[in-house]
Amino acid sequence: DYATATFADVRKYGIGSTNWDGSLPLTTTGESLEIGVRAQTKVTDWDNNPLTHWLEEKTGVDIKFHVYAGSASDVTTQISLMLNGGEAMPDIITTDGMASEMRADFVDEGYLVNLAGYFMTDSYYMKQAIDRACKDDPEKTLIMMDNIQLYTANMRSLLVYGQPTFTDTYTDTINTECVINKDWLNKLGLKKPTTVDELYDVLVAFRDKDPNGNGKKDEVPMIAMRDTMGRGYENFLITPFIQYALQVKAMFEDGKAYVPYDQDEYRQALIFINKLVKEGLLSDLTFTMGSNEFVRMLNPTGNEPQTVGVATLWITNDFKETSNAIDSYEPLAALKDATGRGGYSFFDPATVRSRWSIPWDCENVLLAFRFLDFMYCPDAYLRQRFGEEGVDWDWIENTEYKDMAKGNGVWGGDAAFVQYTDSERVNSRWFVAYQTYQDEINIQQFIHPEDNSFGAKRLKLSAENVRIQREVGEPADEMHVMVRTPEEDEIFQETNTDLVNYYKRAKNEFCSGMRDPNSNSDWDQYLADLESFNMNESWGEFGQNVFDRWVERLEAAGLR
């Protein structure tokens, strides 16, 4: 009730306005907004840019730019100094790279506008984007809103420091992307492995039977990168033994929370991975190499032989058009249960981040908020993602393929747009994080049935991986979004960073052989270290509390 709102109400909920119907333009008087962005090598002219021109045309806003130089951390430092020093700020600033804790402090201290009230009244296009993502699934809607709260608000004061950027695509939320060299399988007369024992046998054959046929023992049976969603060795090799997802702290069985990192089945997984490393079946480069070296190994050029048998990777990024490597691989489904507690795939909820904030001295917060909100609409997304309409992409009805739309979308549905370029054309867009990245839009991309280009192959391979992982299925009970109470969050934050760093380091040490997972003394010391970080309190007990509250909400909504 704006008429009776107190200062405390305004501080907690934001000011808001009246319900907005999304009408455009946002202004008819040529009002300007200055946007603080980080310099991009592919943007040669922010003012004379197709995305800038289109946004100005649609919104009526005169867009100006303040360009920060340097890395994301450099920009964070600059913005922090400006905010703390009371300097005049752009109307909208990039906070990409700024820690959530810092943004939470800034909104608490009044340096950033609390946007909570605006979400209630002026998030017209964002609400449509959430509806596209969640459709008629009320449970997914609750998860989405929890995730937005977790990553855009100070969990203790509940002041909101920015609008969410959310990625809701199967190819980005899948926890398992693993491919196998089908040429090697065919040459050796082997089938794709479905269990850990079958995987072991296939890797031994890749190591010993010269599948690339060059008479040299240069094959790398399996390789991965470490601690990365999708590409990490952990997701594929641990999930046969126990539920595991890299960014989740607690798992659930029959409604009971547990933390996998002290479980016997988790130890069995580390023993298996350690065995692969010892026997030269999983390359020890997995624990040391950078992404460039990994991609170079996966994509030999010229007359170089293929040397990689199995790789956990990022399909849409790690295969390169400069080689024909993508033709040699097909995806592997998550391996079957090896202990009675594993054998799952995991899909995360939409990944949420906050990329934009509005500083305290913005003269027209309502205009700035609605401008950012407009960026959630499909037209704006396509321009942010692919570039200029009619040059980098176009609606299919405007193209020669208009009669081929039916059934020729990426996922087999009807296509709505055609991509012309690789979306990296210089100065075609801003090359900054866009407000939403959604399958509900991406699946409408046209794929010609006879298209054998690298881009089409990559999309098809990624879609096939998603299909087979979904067939494996997920656990009955999942809780990927750990929304804690302010009291829980305070305790959680005291040890969380140190605990995360410790368990990841210990995992890599056990797997690489720096520690021995077969040694009871090494394992007991590891368990004692975990306990010293209060793992079962900050992750296990809080996980149970979060899960119990979640079930109560589902029951109250008639969903369970």
Side-chain angles (χ1 to χ4, degrees):
D1 185 344
Y2 296 104
T4 60
T6 65
F7 175 77
D9 293 331
V10 171
R11 176 169 170 73
K12 182 174 182 181
Y13 299 110
I15 299 173
S17 64
T18 56
N19 288 318
W20 178 44
D21 63 1
S23 57
L24 297 169
L26 301 179
T27 175
T28 58
T29 59
E31 287 184 78
S32 66
L33 287 174
E34 185 179 32
I35 304 176
V37 293
R38 181 163 68 90
Q40 305 291 326
T41 57
K42 295 178 182 176
V43 180
T44 56
D45 190 339
W46 290 91
D47 297 311
N48 187 28
N49 184 287
L51 180 58
T52 304
H53 291 323
W54 181 79
L55 287 170
E56 288 181 326
E57 176 188 346
K58 299 298 287 187
T59 66
V61 173
D62 178 19
I63 304 173
K64 303 181 183 300
F65 294 95
H66 180 100
V67 182
Y68 297 100
S71 65
S73 60
D74 293 333
V75 173
T76 293
T77 300
Q78 294 175 57
I79 291 175
S80 299
L81 291 172
M82 291 175 72
L83 288 171
N84 284 315
E87 296 185 40
M89 301 294 296
D91 300 294
I92 298 169
I93 57 172
T94 176
T95 54
D96 194 14
M98 185 180 290
S100 297
E101 294 80 4
M102 182 180 291
R103 283 176 286 195
D105 288 342
F106 281 144
V107 73
D108 268 3
E109 294 163 2
Y111 295 126
L112 301 178
V113 176
N114 174 26
L115 300 177
Y118 296 93
F119 282 116
M120 299 296 293
T121 58
D122 293 277
S123 56
Y124 178 83
Y125 291 101
M126 189 188 81
K127 288 176 181 175
Q128 290 186 340
I130 292 173
D131 287 343
R132 283 195 301 272
C134 301
K135 298 180 181 176
D136 297 322
D137 186 342
E139 186 168 336
K140 184 175 181 180
T141 303
L142 289 175
I143 294 172
M144 176 76 79
M145 299 312 296
D146 281 351
N147 220 4
I148 288 173
Q149 177 182 333
L150 191 63
Y151 288 103
T152 64
N154 184 330
M155 292 302 294
R156 299 171 196 175
S157 66
L158 298 183
L159 303 186
V160 177
Y161 51 70
Q163 284 181 313
T165 296
F166 62 90
T167 299
D168 185 44
T169 60
Y170 295 141
T171 54
D172 284 274
T173 60
I174 180 63
N175 270 222
T176 301
E177 287 192 303
C178 186
V179 296
I180 191 166
N181 194 315
K182 60 185 179 182
D183 296 339
W184 290 9
L185 288 176
N186 293 335
K187 181 175 182 179
L188 300 179
L190 301 172
K191 295 181 179 179
K192 287 202 297 186
T194 61
T195 68
V196 292
D197 290 336
E198 291 175 0
L199 175 67
Y200 176 82
D201 291 340
V202 165
L203 295 179
V204 169
F206 284 175
R207 181 192 64 190
D208 297 340
K209 296 186 177 180
D210 191 25
N212 68 5
N214 67 348
K216 300 178 181 179
K217 206 173 182 62
D218 56 356
E219 289 83 359
V220 178
M222 182 174 183
I223 196 164
M225 292 187 68
R226 60 188 175 89
D227 295 341
T228 53
M229 293 301 288
R231 292 190 283 176
Y233 68 89
E234 317 93 319
N235 296 313
F236 186 71
L237 293 176
I238 293 177
T239 48
F241 296 88
I242 194 168
Q243 292 183 33
Y244 179 88
L246 184 63
Q247 293 183 351
V248 180
K249 312 307 180 191
M251 295 294 179
F252 303 89
E253 291 175 345
D254 300 322
K256 300 298 181 184
Y258 72 93
V259 183
Y261 315 115
D262 62 357
Q263 303 288 299
D264 289 340
E265 291 83 0
Y266 179 72
R267 183 183 184 184
Q268 291 179 49
L270 302 187
I271 290 172
F272 176 70
I273 298 169
N274 177 267
K275 176 182 178 182
L276 297 183
V277 174
K278 281 183 177 179
E279 297 184 15
L281 303 177
L282 174 64
S283 173
D284 56 9
L285 290 174
T286 291
F287 306 98
T288 59
M289 70 178 173
S291 60
N292 290 337
E293 186 178 359
F294 173 79
V295 171
R296 170 69 180 82
M297 185 178 295
L298 185 68
N299 295 275
T301 57
N303 295 320
E304 296 175 320
Q306 182 59 257
T307 59
V308 175
V310 176
T312 61
L313 75 169
W314 188 3
I315 290 173
T316 56
N317 190 69
D318 291 341
F319 284 117
K320 297 303 177 185
E321 192 170 8
T322 51
S323 78
N324 61 358
I326 197 169
D327 295 326
S328 297
Y329 291 91
E330 59 186 12
L332 275 179
L335 299 176
K336 294 179 180 178
D337 181 21
T339 64
R341 300 183 71 186
Y344 300 99
S345 284
F346 283 90
F347 286 81
D348 287 330
T351 302
V352 175
R353 295 291 182 267
S354 178
R355 308 292 193 187
W356 302 102
S357 292
I358 300 175
W360 66 275
D361 55 352
C362 174
E363 293 186 359
N364 194 337
V365 176
L366 186 61
L367 179 64
F369 185 91
R370 288 180 176 179
F371 178 86
L372 289 174
D373 184 72
F374 176 64
M375 301 281 272
Y376 289 101
C377 77
D379 276 19
Y381 163 74
L382 289 169
R383 287 165 174 79
Q384 292 172 85
R385 175 69 180 87
F386 296 111
E388 185 176 2
E389 180 181 4
V391 178
D392 300 294
W393 67 277
D394 210 340
W395 298 109
I396 197 166
E397 61 265 24
N398 300 329
T399 74
E400 61 182 298
Y401 308 111
K402 61 184 178 182
D403 296 328
M404 299 180 66
K406 189 173 181 60
N408 283 320
V410 169
W411 299 88
D414 296 345
F417 71 93
V418 178
Q419 182 183 352
Y420 293 138
T421 70
D422 64 0
S423 77
E424 297 298 310
R425 184 171 65 88
V426 172
N427 212 51
S428 60
R429 53 194 177 98
W430 290 355
F431 293 92
V432 298
Y434 21 95
Q435 292 293 74
T436 181
Y437 182 34
Q438 294 186 280
D439 267 333
E440 280 304 299
I441 301 174
N442 289 339
I443 60 177
Q444 300 175 61
Q445 182 173 344
F446 175 68
I447 296 292
H448 195 289
E450 297 177 4
D451 188 353
N452 201 35
S453 66
F454 172 75
K457 291 176 183 177
R458 186 171 58 182
L459 287 171
K460 291 174 182 177
L461 187 64
S462 183
E464 173 64 11
N465 178 64
V466 170
R467 185 189 67 79
I468 65 175
Q469 304 305 342
R470 295 194 79 83
E471 286 183 355
V472 171
E474 298 183 80
D477 288 332
E478 290 186 277
M479 180 86 297
H480 286 305
V481 184
M482 298 294 182
V483 179
R484 299 170 293 276
T485 66
E487 294 76 19
E488 290 170 347
D489 189 64
E490 185 171 359
I491 298 172
F492 180 86
Q493 297 298 345
E494 288 177 358
T495 59
N496 183 63
T497 299
D498 291 338
L499 181 50
V500 168
N501 291 336
Y502 176 74
Y503 103 77
K504 286 184 177 181
R505 183 176 71 251
K507 173 195 62 190
N508 290 327
E509 288 173 352
F510 277 125
C511 291
S512 65
M514 293 177 65
R515 299 195 203 190
D516 184 1
N518 295 283
S519 165
N520 288 334
S521 61
D522 282 2
W523 186 253
D524 289 344
Q525 181 60 57
Y526 162 72
L527 295 179
D529 292 340
L530 287 180
E531 191 59 33
S532 71
F533 287 109
N534 299 317
M535 180 188 74
N536 283 303
E537 177 186 13
S538 61
W539 289 355
E541 291 180 17
F542 292 163
Q544 188 67 59
N545 293 341
V546 169
F547 186 79
D548 290 343
R549 290 194 294 266
W550 171 248
V551 171
E552 289 176 1
R553 292 170 65 196
L554 293 180
E555 290 174 344
L559 301 176
R560 176 167 296 195

